[in-house]
Amino acid sequence: MKEFLIVDGYNIIGAWAELQALRDRSLEEARDRLIAILAEYQSFSGIKVYLVFDAYQVPGLGKTYVQSKLSVLYTKEKETADELIERLVFQLAGRRRQIYVATSDMTEQHVIFGKGALRLPASELLVKIKQNRGEIHNRIREEAETGRNSFDSKLNEEMREIFERWRRGK
């Protein structure tokens, strides 16, 4: 089953303490941090993520681009993020597809649930992202412990001895 996650960007920024603090200094920094977090989540989890922002806070209207393999969408003039999210849910819906919408907006949660998508409150998304980071750290640690990725593990004994002599200046 193919999975999709549609994220209401400004809603998440307002719901997560780390992003709230960034937003108070610079909205652009908060957006960039959210993009980085979601790009990492997408790459490890395999879930296709769409990040939606209301364009009234960004110059240029109705823009869509890909950053770090993450689809970032800005609404058109006079279009809300909720409307764009609903349209995306309708476009992505199909057999063998599961769509999640991350928002803490209760009205939006009810609307997208009625269209067949599952709601994912901002707090639950944060938990999933933290679990994802934990899995990444565990995998890195395991690979480091097994030496599976080290340069040294790829060398035969003769080459190791040659490099060791070079290292010691002999």
Side-chain angles (χ1 to χ4, degrees):
M1 179 171 289
K2 190 151 175 94
E3 293 182 303
F4 300 92
L5 172 64
I6 303 169
V7 178
D8 184 341
Y10 290 127
N11 187 278
I12 299 297
I13 287 172
W16 292 357
E18 173 192 359
L19 298 178
Q20 285 175 354
L22 279 175
R23 178 195 63 199
D24 293 342
R25 283 195 328 248
S26 165
L27 184 59
E28 187 175 346
E29 282 183 44
R31 277 194 308 261
D32 289 345
R33 180 71 183 127
L34 180 58
I35 289 169
I37 290 169
L38 293 175
E40 178 183 89
Y41 179 73
Q42 174 180 263
S43 67
F44 190 77
S45 69
I47 296 173
K48 176 63 181 154
V49 178
Y50 294 89
L51 178 56
V52 177
F53 289 111
D54 282 312
Y56 72 88
Q57 299 207 28
V58 178
L61 304 173
K63 201 162 86 172
T64 299
Y65 67 95
V66 176
Q67 182 173 331
S68 302
K69 297 185 180 180
L70 178 76
S71 296
V72 181
L73 300 93
Y74 289 95
T75 61
K76 298 175 189 170
E77 188 174 1
K78 297 181 182 176
E79 179 182 41
T80 66
D82 293 350
E83 291 169 336
L84 179 54
I85 289 168
E86 291 166 22
R87 193 170 71 240
L88 269 172
V89 168
F90 181 75
Q91 290 171 354
L92 295 171
R95 296 181 72 198
R96 306 210 24 90
R97 290 179 171 206
Q98 187 59 63
I99 303 166
Y100 301 91
V101 176
T103 182
S104 290
D105 179 339
M106 288 303 291
T107 305
E108 181 62 13
Q109 287 181 7
H110 291 299
V111 170
I112 57 94
F113 189 67
K115 293 186 179 286
L118 297 176
R119 56 188 181 256
L120 186 64
S123 58
E124 284 185 41
L125 178 59
L126 185 57
V127 168
K128 285 180 174 285
I129 287 172
K130 287 180 179 179
Q131 288 172 340
N132 190 55
R133 284 182 183 157
E135 290 174 30
I136 291 169
H137 291 299
N138 288 339
R139 187 171 294 175
I140 289 169
R141 187 176 47 247
E142 287 170 8
E143 288 179 2
E145 288 171 359
T146 62
R148 197 171 81 187
N149 247 351
S150 72
F151 178 70
D152 185 55
S153 69
K154 308 289 187 222
L155 299 175
N156 62 32
E157 191 59 37
E158 180 184 341
M159 289 305 297
R160 275 195 200 106
E161 288 174 12
I162 290 170
F163 283 131
E164 184 63 21
R165 283 196 303 268
W166 285 355
R167 187 179 75 81
R168 294 180 184 262
K170 296 180 182 180

